Amino acid sequence: MIVRILGDNQYVLDSKYLDKLNELDNCMVDHLSNEEVDEFSSCLHEMIHTIREKGTLLDPAEIRPSDLIVPSPDITPEEARKLFTEEGIIPD
Amino acid sequence: MIKAKISSFLDRHEDPRETLDYSYEKQLELLTNVKRGIADVVTAKKRLELQKAKLESNIESLNNQAREAVSLGRDDLARIALERKKDSMAQIESLTAQIADLENEQTKLVNTERRLSAKVEAFRTKKETIKAQYSAAEAQVKITESVTGISEEMADVGMSVQRAEEKTESMKARSQALDELIDSGTLQDLTSDQTKVEEELSKIKSNEEVEQELKIMKQQVPIKKKATTEETQEAQQ
């Protein structure tokens, strides 16, 4: 699957990591709704770290829609609130 | 959020080939915006660097003035100079952080521009190929995929540019406020003629010079007087 990190790049990631990403996504949504900013950003960073470490960079000349889109690592909680729906960024 | 933007974009044209051309035009526009964004960030950064340099040279003069004031026994003036030095140092610290922030934004935008350029070029090639084989049924699928893919890229780049713009705007506002602060004299360069400390120091200095000259004169004049008296005494004896 193709994953985009906003403000960064698109990565090709094995879909076996989807469960882990989903778990981190829920973690982000929960902490955001509880106003736990530090916990929120640690979930986000773990998610981004997983994508960068396990995935490979998509050739910039390739034009492909992403299966998942995750926020940029320096997103503020305010921006995140605007970006998130109740289900998080990964649709169930 | 991004997906919604893309679907409205796709619905706009009945002939998908028009969608390709329209999308390409939009991509070129966006590329121009990214370039403008980079230029704005560079300008804002340069301005902050100039202000920083100005404040740094102020610190040097303020230090010298404080030392001079101390040597003249004017602790009150020295205190003013040192307080201003402290203000300038705090401003420099905050400017350094802002400059680093803009530097970071610049790097990100330059990378964004590189990535988008590659994608736009790839899209242009692909667009012509798809248009040439449009009769084929699979062309429709290819169009949807390319346009969706590039639209997603454009939405992402658009957000980065907007973010950078917001940052430069707020930096501009802050840097303007700093200019006003420097102009209003709060952080004024104390070496300029109008400032109180400089004025007083030069007054003291010129007073000192007068005193010094007077002292020299006094030394010269009494010698003459004394000589005259001695001469008179000698003459009398």
Side-chain angles (χ1 to χ4, degrees):
Chain A
M1 61 181 177
I2 310 261
V3 184
R4 174 183 293 274
I5 301 173
L6 289 174
D8 182 50
N9 270 302
Q10 279 176 299
Y11 295 82
V12 183
L13 186 72
D14 196 306
S15 38
K16 69 179 176 191
Y17 295 106
L18 187 60
D19 283 346
K20 177 157 171 84
L21 294 188
N22 245 324
E23 192 186 302
L24 290 167
D25 183 39
N26 290 335
C27 156
M28 277 160 64
V29 176
D30 288 348
H31 287 306
L32 193 64
S33 57
N34 294 334
E35 309 271 327
E36 292 153 349
V37 177
D38 290 345
E39 290 84 349
F40 160 80
S41 91
S42 94
C43 294
L44 174 61
H45 281 100
E46 198 181 334
M47 187 182 233
I48 286 166
H49 179 75
T50 307
I51 298 163
R52 284 182 181 156
E53 200 190 43
K54 308 292 182 196
T56 51
L57 214 59
L58 181 75
D59 177 3
E62 265 206 66
I63 302 166
R64 288 172 64 187
S66 307
D67 302 296
L68 302 177
I69 298 172
V70 310
S72 71
D74 56 353
I75 193 170
T76 64
E78 291 74 34
E79 288 172 316
R81 265 183 215 107
K82 275 191 230 162
L83 200 66
F84 282 114
T85 59
E86 296 238 317
E87 302 87 49
I89 37 170
I90 301 174
D92 290 329
Chain B
M1 175 206 59
I2 288 173
K3 298 275 181 203
K5 272 188 193 167
I6 293 159
S7 59
S8 72
F9 186 84
L10 274 173
D11 291 341
R12 212 169 292 160
H13 298 280
E14 279 184 15
D15 183 345
R17 283 173 297 185
E18 272 179 34
T19 308
L20 288 176
D21 290 335
Y22 178 76
S23 171
Y24 183 62
E25 267 171 44
K26 288 278 148 199
Q27 291 160 35
L28 293 180
E29 258 174 46
L30 184 58
L31 206 49
T32 312
N33 281 349
V34 178
K35 284 180 180 147
R36 196 183 307 136
I38 296 172
D40 283 350
V41 171
V42 170
T43 309
K45 201 180 76 185
K46 274 195 184 140
R47 189 164 173 200
L48 295 188
E49 278 165 351
L50 273 176
Q51 286 180 320
K52 192 182 159 190
K54 208 168 165 184
L55 286 171
E56 272 165 351
S57 79
N58 275 8
I59 286 192
E60 185 67 34
S61 354
L62 287 167
N63 235 350
N64 290 339
Q65 285 175 354
R67 206 159 294 182
E68 205 177 329
V70 168
S71 77
L72 295 167
R74 290 294 306 268
D75 285 7
D76 56 330
L77 292 180
R79 196 164 285 124
I80 294 175
L82 289 175
E83 275 164 10
R84 290 187 181 181
K85 184 182 134 186
K86 236 182 125 193
D87 282 348
S88 295
M89 281 169 89
Q91 290 290 345
I92 286 173
E93 204 175 304
S94 125
L95 279 178
T96 306
Q98 288 171 41
I99 290 167
D101 200 6
L102 285 182
E103 183 77 52
N104 187 28
E105 215 55 46
Q106 187 186 339
T107 310
K108 276 202 273 180
L109 279 186
V110 168
N111 287 336
T112 301
E113 193 213 341
R114 204 171 297 147
R115 202 181 68 219
L116 184 63
S117 292
K119 279 231 178 352
V120 169
E121 185 46 34
F123 186 88
R124 194 184 61 81
T125 318
K126 208 167 180 181
K127 166 173 92 91
E128 294 314 316
T129 317
I130 296 171
K131 275 164 89 177
Q133 48 175 229
Y134 181 58
S135 52
E138 77 213 63
Q140 182 63 48
V141 179
K142 280 187 187 164
I143 289 173
T144 309
E145 203 196 45
S146 314
V147 173
T148 312
I150 199 82
S151 300
E152 183 191 304
E153 186 69 38
M154 287 165 73
D156 186 8
V157 171
M159 270 192 272
S160 301
V161 173
Q162 199 188 333
R163 232 165 168 235
E165 266 172 14
E166 278 164 14
K167 263 203 184 136
T168 7
E169 275 310 308
S170 82
M171 296 283 177
K172 263 190 211 158
R174 264 192 259 175
S175 132
Q176 216 157 7
L178 190 59
D179 267 349
E180 277 160 25
L181 211 59
I182 292 173
D183 288 345
S184 75
T186 316
L187 299 173
Q188 207 169 21
D189 176 5
L190 296 180
T191 49
S192 69
D193 294 336
Q194 294 86 351
T195 64
K196 195 183 148 207
V197 175
E198 180 67 16
E199 227 170 69
E200 289 218 22
L201 281 180
S202 70
K203 210 188 282 170
I204 293 172
K205 236 184 177 177
S206 73
N207 281 349
E208 256 211 341
E209 274 164 15
V210 170
E211 288 300 321
Q212 193 67 28
E213 230 180 310
L214 195 64
K215 209 172 153 191
I216 294 168
M217 277 181 186
K218 271 183 183 169
Q219 278 173 346
Q220 287 170 345
V221 176
I223 289 165
K224 231 182 165 184
K225 259 190 182 170
K226 213 181 170 187
T228 319
T229 323
E230 274 167 13
E231 269 166 19
T232 323
Q233 278 173 349
E234 266 169 35
Q236 278 173 350
Q237 279 168 4

Tab-separated table of all heavy atoms in Angstrom, chain B residues 112-158:
chain	number	residue	atom	x	y	z
B	112	THR	N	10.022	20.190	-1.328
B	112	THR	CA	8.670	20.106	-1.904
B	112	THR	C	8.699	20.484	-3.373
B	112	THR	O	8.099	19.819	-4.207
B	112	THR	CB	7.717	21.055	-1.149
B	112	THR	OG1	7.708	20.678	0.218
B	112	THR	CG2	6.320	20.990	-1.694
B	113	GLU	N	9.425	21.560	-3.670
B	113	GLU	CA	9.495	22.026	-5.054
B	113	GLU	C	10.128	20.967	-5.948
B	113	GLU	O	9.643	20.699	-7.046
B	113	GLU	CB	10.308	23.319	-5.132
B	113	GLU	CG	10.153	24.024	-6.463
B	113	GLU	CD	11.393	24.765	-6.901
B	113	GLU	OE1	12.261	25.057	-6.055
B	113	GLU	OE2	11.503	25.018	-8.108
B	114	ARG	N	11.184	20.346	-5.438
B	114	ARG	CA	11.884	19.323	-6.206
B	114	ARG	C	10.941	18.146	-6.498
B	114	ARG	O	10.861	17.659	-7.614
B	114	ARG	CB	13.106	18.853	-5.406
B	114	ARG	CG	14.191	18.269	-6.279
B	114	ARG	CD	15.440	18.018	-5.478
B	114	ARG	NE	16.007	19.247	-4.932
B	114	ARG	CZ	16.648	19.325	-3.770
B	114	ARG	NH1	16.773	18.267	-3.013
B	114	ARG	NH2	17.148	20.468	-3.359
B	115	ARG	N	10.213	17.749	-5.447
B	115	ARG	CA	9.307	16.606	-5.594
B	115	ARG	C	8.176	16.935	-6.566
B	115	ARG	O	7.855	16.144	-7.453
B	115	ARG	CB	8.741	16.264	-4.218
B	115	ARG	CG	8.241	14.851	-4.085
B	115	ARG	CD	7.681	14.617	-2.696
B	115	ARG	NE	6.460	15.385	-2.477
B	115	ARG	CZ	6.165	15.989	-1.332
B	115	ARG	NH1	6.993	15.953	-0.313
B	115	ARG	NH2	5.049	16.654	-1.208
B	116	LEU	N	7.598	18.134	-6.382
B	116	LEU	CA	6.486	18.516	-7.250
B	116	LEU	C	6.945	18.658	-8.707
B	116	LEU	O	6.238	18.236	-9.623
B	116	LEU	CB	5.851	19.822	-6.755
B	116	LEU	CG	4.612	20.296	-7.525
B	116	LEU	CD1	3.468	19.300	-7.393
B	116	LEU	CD2	4.151	21.664	-7.044
B	117	SER	N	8.138	19.241	-8.925
B	117	SER	CA	8.668	19.386	-10.284
B	117	SER	C	8.742	18.030	-10.975
B	117	SER	O	8.334	17.891	-12.133
B	117	SER	CB	10.063	19.991	-10.268
B	117	SER	OG	10.010	21.307	-9.838
B	118	ALA	N	9.263	17.051	-10.247
B	118	ALA	CA	9.406	15.700	-10.811
B	118	ALA	C	8.032	15.141	-11.160
B	118	ALA	O	7.836	14.553	-12.229
B	118	ALA	CB	10.115	14.792	-9.818
B	119	LYS	N	7.074	15.372	-10.260
B	119	LYS	CA	5.724	14.837	-10.488
B	119	LYS	C	5.037	15.532	-11.662
B	119	LYS	O	4.376	14.886	-12.467
B	119	LYS	CB	4.887	15.021	-9.217
B	119	LYS	CG	5.135	13.946	-8.179
B	119	LYS	CD	3.820	13.362	-7.725
B	119	LYS	CE	3.868	12.254	-6.726
B	119	LYS	NZ	5.026	11.600	-6.287
B	120	VAL	N	5.200	16.852	-11.739
B	120	VAL	CA	4.560	17.618	-12.811
B	120	VAL	C	5.119	17.167	-14.165
B	120	VAL	O	4.369	16.975	-15.125
B	120	VAL	CB	4.773	19.140	-12.603
B	120	VAL	CG1	4.352	19.924	-13.836
B	120	VAL	CG2	3.990	19.622	-11.389
B	121	GLU	N	6.421	16.982	-14.206
B	121	GLU	CA	7.059	16.530	-15.442
B	121	GLU	C	6.543	15.136	-15.825
B	121	GLU	O	6.188	14.879	-16.986
B	121	GLU	CB	8.586	16.535	-15.268
B	121	GLU	CG	9.396	16.211	-16.508
B	121	GLU	CD	8.929	16.944	-17.777
B	121	GLU	OE1	8.480	18.101	-17.657
B	121	GLU	OE2	8.992	16.340	-18.858
B	122	ALA	N	6.444	14.260	-14.859
B	122	ALA	CA	5.940	12.905	-15.108
B	122	ALA	C	4.485	12.964	-15.569
B	122	ALA	O	4.073	12.220	-16.476
B	122	ALA	CB	6.060	12.064	-13.849
B	123	PHE	N	3.741	13.856	-14.965
B	123	PHE	CA	2.328	13.992	-15.321
B	123	PHE	C	2.182	14.458	-16.768
B	123	PHE	O	1.334	13.969	-17.511
B	123	PHE	CB	1.642	14.990	-14.375
B	123	PHE	CG	0.155	15.093	-14.573
B	123	PHE	CD1	-0.710	14.244	-13.893
B	123	PHE	CD2	-0.389	16.024	-15.446
B	123	PHE	CE1	-2.079	14.320	-14.083
B	123	PHE	CE2	-1.761	16.111	-15.651
B	123	PHE	CZ	-2.604	15.255	-14.960
B	124	ARG	N	3.034	15.403	-17.149
B	124	ARG	CA	2.968	15.950	-18.516
B	124	ARG	C	3.162	14.833	-19.543
B	124	ARG	O	2.401	14.716	-20.510
B	124	ARG	CB	4.041	17.023	-18.691
B	124	ARG	CG	3.869	17.889	-19.919
B	124	ARG	CD	5.031	18.854	-20.053
B	124	ARG	NE	6.314	18.142	-20.202
B	124	ARG	CZ	6.743	17.642	-21.358
B	124	ARG	NH1	6.033	17.760	-22.446
B	124	ARG	NH2	7.908	16.998	-21.418
B	125	THR	N	4.165	14.011	-19.330
B	125	THR	CA	4.444	12.894	-20.234
B	125	THR	C	3.258	11.927	-20.270
B	125	THR	O	2.800	11.521	-21.330
B	125	THR	CB	5.701	12.127	-19.755
B	125	THR	OG1	6.670	13.086	-19.360
B	125	THR	CG2	6.260	11.246	-20.837
B	126	LYS	N	2.797	11.599	-19.064
B	126	LYS	CA	1.716	10.623	-18.941
B	126	LYS	C	0.434	11.125	-19.608
B	126	LYS	O	-0.270	10.391	-20.288
B	126	LYS	CB	1.455	10.377	-17.454
B	126	LYS	CG	0.907	9.004	-17.164
B	126	LYS	CD	0.976	8.728	-15.681
B	126	LYS	CE	0.423	7.339	-15.402
B	126	LYS	NZ	0.436	7.030	-13.983
B	127	LYS	N	0.177	12.409	-19.411
B	127	LYS	CA	-1.020	13.056	-19.960
B	127	LYS	C	-1.073	12.906	-21.483
B	127	LYS	O	-2.110	12.558	-22.045
B	127	LYS	CB	-0.961	14.536	-19.554
B	127	LYS	CG	-1.878	15.492	-20.252
B	127	LYS	CD	-1.789	16.867	-19.586
B	127	LYS	CE	-0.745	17.775	-20.232
B	127	LYS	NZ	-1.269	18.603	-21.311
B	128	GLU	N	0.062	13.148	-22.121
B	128	GLU	CA	0.097	13.053	-23.585
B	128	GLU	C	-0.123	11.604	-24.035
B	128	GLU	O	-0.830	11.360	-25.010
B	128	GLU	CB	1.415	13.615	-24.139
B	128	GLU	CG	1.574	15.116	-23.925
B	128	GLU	CD	0.329	15.937	-24.292
B	128	GLU	OE1	-0.286	15.690	-25.352
B	128	GLU	OE2	-0.062	16.821	-23.482
B	129	THR	N	0.470	10.686	-23.317
B	129	THR	CA	0.296	9.265	-23.652
B	129	THR	C	-1.174	8.873	-23.513
B	129	THR	O	-1.747	8.239	-24.403
B	129	THR	CB	1.129	8.383	-22.700
B	129	THR	OG1	2.401	8.984	-22.537
B	129	THR	CG2	1.279	6.971	-23.236
B	130	ILE	N	-1.760	9.261	-22.406
B	130	ILE	CA	-3.168	8.899	-22.165
B	130	ILE	C	-4.070	9.517	-23.237
B	130	ILE	O	-4.962	8.855	-23.763
B	130	ILE	CB	-3.629	9.360	-20.751
B	130	ILE	CG1	-2.844	8.626	-19.658
B	130	ILE	CG2	-5.118	9.098	-20.569
B	130	ILE	CD1	-3.084	9.164	-18.258
B	131	LYS	N	-3.786	10.771	-23.562
B	131	LYS	CA	-4.624	11.451	-24.559
B	131	LYS	C	-4.530	10.751	-25.918
B	131	LYS	O	-5.522	10.639	-26.646
B	131	LYS	CB	-4.216	12.919	-24.680
B	131	LYS	CG	-4.895	13.788	-23.634
B	131	LYS	CD	-4.231	15.124	-23.491
B	131	LYS	CE	-4.805	16.145	-24.445
B	131	LYS	NZ	-4.159	17.464	-24.210
B	132	ALA	N	-3.349	10.279	-26.255
B	132	ALA	CA	-3.129	9.620	-27.543
B	132	ALA	C	-3.899	8.304	-27.635
B	132	ALA	O	-4.354	7.913	-28.701
B	132	ALA	CB	-1.646	9.394	-27.755
B	133	GLN	N	-4.030	7.636	-26.504
B	133	GLN	CA	-4.700	6.332	-26.540
B	133	GLN	C	-6.068	6.393	-25.862
B	133	GLN	O	-6.535	5.426	-25.281
B	133	GLN	CB	-3.822	5.264	-25.888
B	133	GLN	CG	-3.264	5.689	-24.547
B	133	GLN	CD	-2.502	4.609	-23.820
B	133	GLN	OE1	-2.747	4.381	-22.657
B	133	GLN	NE2	-1.590	3.970	-24.535
B	134	TYR	N	-6.689	7.552	-25.962
B	134	TYR	CA	-7.922	7.768	-25.214
B	134	TYR	C	-9.045	6.803	-25.584
B	134	TYR	O	-9.895	6.481	-24.776
B	134	TYR	CB	-8.398	9.219	-25.360
B	134	TYR	CG	-9.651	9.489	-24.592
B	134	TYR	CD1	-9.672	9.266	-23.217
B	134	TYR	CD2	-10.810	9.929	-25.217
B	134	TYR	CE1	-10.817	9.492	-22.491
B	134	TYR	CE2	-11.955	10.167	-24.499
B	134	TYR	CZ	-11.961	9.945	-23.128
B	134	TYR	OH	-13.098	10.170	-22.418
B	135	SER	N	-9.040	6.338	-26.822
B	135	SER	CA	-10.113	5.441	-27.252
B	135	SER	C	-10.131	4.148	-26.430
B	135	SER	O	-11.179	3.556	-26.208
B	135	SER	CB	-9.957	5.118	-28.733
B	135	SER	OG	-8.639	4.661	-28.947
B	136	ALA	N	-8.968	3.780	-25.961
B	136	ALA	CA	-8.911	2.552	-25.162
B	136	ALA	C	-9.676	2.726	-23.854
B	136	ALA	O	-9.651	3.790	-23.239
B	136	ALA	CB	-7.456	2.197	-24.871
B	137	ALA	N	-10.355	1.680	-23.450
B	137	ALA	CA	-11.198	1.745	-22.251
B	137	ALA	C	-10.382	1.989	-20.988
B	137	ALA	O	-10.818	2.670	-20.070
B	137	ALA	CB	-11.992	0.456	-22.110
B	138	GLU	N	-9.175	1.468	-20.991
B	138	GLU	CA	-8.352	1.595	-19.789
B	138	GLU	C	-7.862	3.031	-19.563
B	138	GLU	O	-7.416	3.385	-18.470
B	138	GLU	CB	-7.156	0.642	-19.856
B	138	GLU	CG	-6.057	1.115	-20.763
B	138	GLU	CD	-5.329	-0.019	-21.453
B	138	GLU	OE1	-5.950	-0.746	-22.234
B	138	GLU	OE2	-4.129	-0.156	-21.184
B	139	ALA	N	-7.951	3.846	-20.644
B	139	ALA	CA	-7.501	5.238	-20.519
B	139	ALA	C	-8.246	5.947	-19.403
B	139	ALA	O	-7.653	6.688	-18.621
B	139	ALA	CB	-7.693	5.965	-21.837
B	140	GLN	N	-9.524	5.690	-19.321
B	140	GLN	CA	-10.356	6.318	-18.288
B	140	GLN	C	-9.807	6.005	-16.881
B	140	GLN	O	-9.689	6.886	-16.035
B	140	GLN	CB	-11.803	5.821	-18.414
B	140	GLN	CG	-12.768	6.433	-17.416
B	140	GLN	CD	-12.901	7.939	-17.603
B	140	GLN	OE1	-13.093	8.416	-18.721
B	140	GLN	NE2	-12.782	8.682	-16.517
B	141	VAL	N	-9.462	4.763	-16.702
B	141	VAL	CA	-8.913	4.338	-15.408
B	141	VAL	C	-7.597	5.067	-15.141
B	141	VAL	O	-7.348	5.556	-14.036
B	141	VAL	CB	-8.691	2.807	-15.400
B	141	VAL	CG1	-8.096	2.358	-14.071
B	141	VAL	CG2	-9.987	2.077	-15.689
B	142	LYS	N	-6.772	5.135	-16.179
B	142	LYS	CA	-5.463	5.785	-16.032
B	142	LYS	C	-5.626	7.265	-15.688
B	142	LYS	O	-4.899	7.806	-14.867
B	142	LYS	CB	-4.661	5.659	-17.329
B	142	LYS	CG	-3.996	4.323	-17.483
B	142	LYS	CD	-3.099	4.348	-18.690
B	142	LYS	CE	-2.533	2.974	-18.980
B	142	LYS	NZ	-1.985	2.917	-20.336
B	143	ILE	N	-6.583	7.886	-16.366
B	143	ILE	CA	-6.821	9.313	-16.115
B	143	ILE	C	-7.209	9.519	-14.649
B	143	ILE	O	-6.644	10.349	-13.951
B	143	ILE	CB	-7.922	9.878	-17.054
B	143	ILE	CG1	-7.380	9.962	-18.475
B	143	ILE	CG2	-8.396	11.248	-16.573
B	143	ILE	CD1	-8.410	10.332	-19.526
B	144	THR	N	-8.170	8.711	-14.216
B	144	THR	CA	-8.635	8.841	-12.830
B	144	THR	C	-7.476	8.647	-11.859
B	144	THR	O	-7.299	9.429	-10.930
B	144	THR	CB	-9.750	7.822	-12.540
B	144	THR	OG1	-10.734	7.939	-13.554
B	144	THR	CG2	-10.381	8.068	-11.179
B	145	GLU	N	-6.670	7.631	-12.137
B	145	GLU	CA	-5.561	7.348	-11.224
B	145	GLU	C	-4.540	8.491	-11.204
B	145	GLU	O	-4.128	8.940	-10.136
B	145	GLU	CB	-4.879	6.036	-11.629
B	145	GLU	CG	-4.139	5.417	-10.471
B	145	GLU	CD	-3.153	4.357	-10.906
B	145	GLU	OE1	-2.408	4.585	-11.882
B	145	GLU	OE2	-3.126	3.307	-10.259
B	146	SER	N	-4.164	8.963	-12.399
B	146	SER	CA	-3.162	10.045	-12.456
B	146	SER	C	-3.684	11.314	-11.819
B	146	SER	O	-2.980	11.963	-11.056
B	146	SER	CB	-2.807	10.387	-13.901
B	146	SER	OG	-2.581	9.247	-14.628
B	147	VAL	N	-4.920	11.653	-12.161
B	147	VAL	CA	-5.456	12.912	-11.640
B	147	VAL	C	-5.645	12.826	-10.123
B	147	VAL	O	-5.332	13.762	-9.400
B	147	VAL	CB	-6.769	13.305	-12.372
B	147	VAL	CG1	-7.398	14.520	-11.710
B	147	VAL	CG2	-6.472	13.606	-13.823
B	148	THR	N	-6.116	11.684	-9.664
B	148	THR	CA	-6.276	11.525	-8.213
B	148	THR	C	-4.915	11.615	-7.532
B	148	THR	O	-4.759	12.296	-6.524
B	148	THR	CB	-6.934	10.170	-7.879
B	148	THR	OG1	-8.065	9.993	-8.711
B	148	THR	CG2	-7.364	10.111	-6.428
B	149	GLY	N	-3.940	10.929	-8.127
B	149	GLY	CA	-2.594	10.930	-7.546
B	149	GLY	C	-1.985	12.317	-7.499
B	149	GLY	O	-1.473	12.758	-6.469
B	150	ILE	N	-2.095	13.014	-8.618
B	150	ILE	CA	-1.474	14.345	-8.661
B	150	ILE	C	-2.266	15.337	-7.807
B	150	ILE	O	-1.686	16.238	-7.208
B	150	ILE	CB	-1.311	14.854	-10.126
B	150	ILE	CG1	-0.271	15.981	-10.203
B	150	ILE	CG2	-2.611	15.360	-10.713
B	150	ILE	CD1	1.147	15.525	-10.253
B	151	SER	N	-3.575	15.158	-7.744
B	151	SER	CA	-4.388	16.076	-6.933
B	151	SER	C	-4.042	15.944	-5.460
B	151	SER	O	-4.004	16.919	-4.725
B	151	SER	CB	-5.873	15.792	-7.111
B	151	SER	OG	-6.215	15.946	-8.455
B	152	GLU	N	-3.791	14.731	-5.057
B	152	GLU	CA	-3.396	14.490	-3.678
B	152	GLU	C	-2.071	15.199	-3.396
B	152	GLU	O	-1.919	15.889	-2.389
B	152	GLU	CB	-3.247	12.989	-3.470
B	152	GLU	CG	-2.913	12.609	-2.047
B	152	GLU	CD	-2.523	11.142	-1.964
B	152	GLU	OE1	-3.309	10.279	-2.384
B	152	GLU	OE2	-1.409	10.880	-1.482
B	153	GLU	N	-1.141	15.044	-4.348
B	153	GLU	CA	0.153	15.714	-4.226
B	153	GLU	C	-0.055	17.227	-4.118
B	153	GLU	O	0.541	17.897	-3.281
B	153	GLU	CB	0.992	15.387	-5.466
B	153	GLU	CG	2.413	15.901	-5.429
B	153	GLU	CD	3.251	15.173	-4.400
B	153	GLU	OE1	3.061	13.953	-4.266
B	153	GLU	OE2	4.076	15.826	-3.737
B	154	MET	N	-0.928	17.741	-4.984
B	154	MET	CA	-1.154	19.186	-5.011
B	154	MET	C	-1.794	19.680	-3.715
B	154	MET	O	-1.453	20.750	-3.221
B	154	MET	CB	-2.013	19.558	-6.219
B	154	MET	CG	-1.238	19.454	-7.519
B	154	MET	SD	-2.316	19.476	-8.948
B	154	MET	CE	-2.804	21.189	-8.977
B	155	ALA	N	-2.705	18.885	-3.189
B	155	ALA	CA	-3.337	19.274	-1.923
B	155	ALA	C	-2.285	19.331	-0.811
B	155	ALA	O	-2.255	20.264	-0.006
B	155	ALA	CB	-4.427	18.278	-1.568
B	156	ASP	N	-1.394	18.351	-0.817
B	156	ASP	CA	-0.321	18.296	0.194
B	156	ASP	C	0.619	19.492	0.040
B	156	ASP	O	0.899	20.207	1.006
B	156	ASP	CB	0.438	16.966	0.032
B	156	ASP	CG	1.474	16.757	1.122
B	156	ASP	OD1	1.507	17.556	2.081
B	156	ASP	OD2	2.248	15.797	1.015
B	157	VAL	N	1.066	19.722	-1.204
B	157	VAL	CA	1.975	20.849	-1.457
B	157	VAL	C	1.283	22.164	-1.106
B	157	VAL	O	1.886	23.043	-0.487
B	157	VAL	CB	2.424	20.838	-2.941
B	157	VAL	CG1	3.176	22.106	-3.287
B	157	VAL	CG2	3.286	19.619	-3.227
B	158	GLY	N	0.014	22.267	-1.484
B	158	GLY	CA	-0.748	23.473	-1.183
B	158	GLY	C	-0.745	23.781	0.305
B	158	GLY	O	-0.569	24.921	0.716
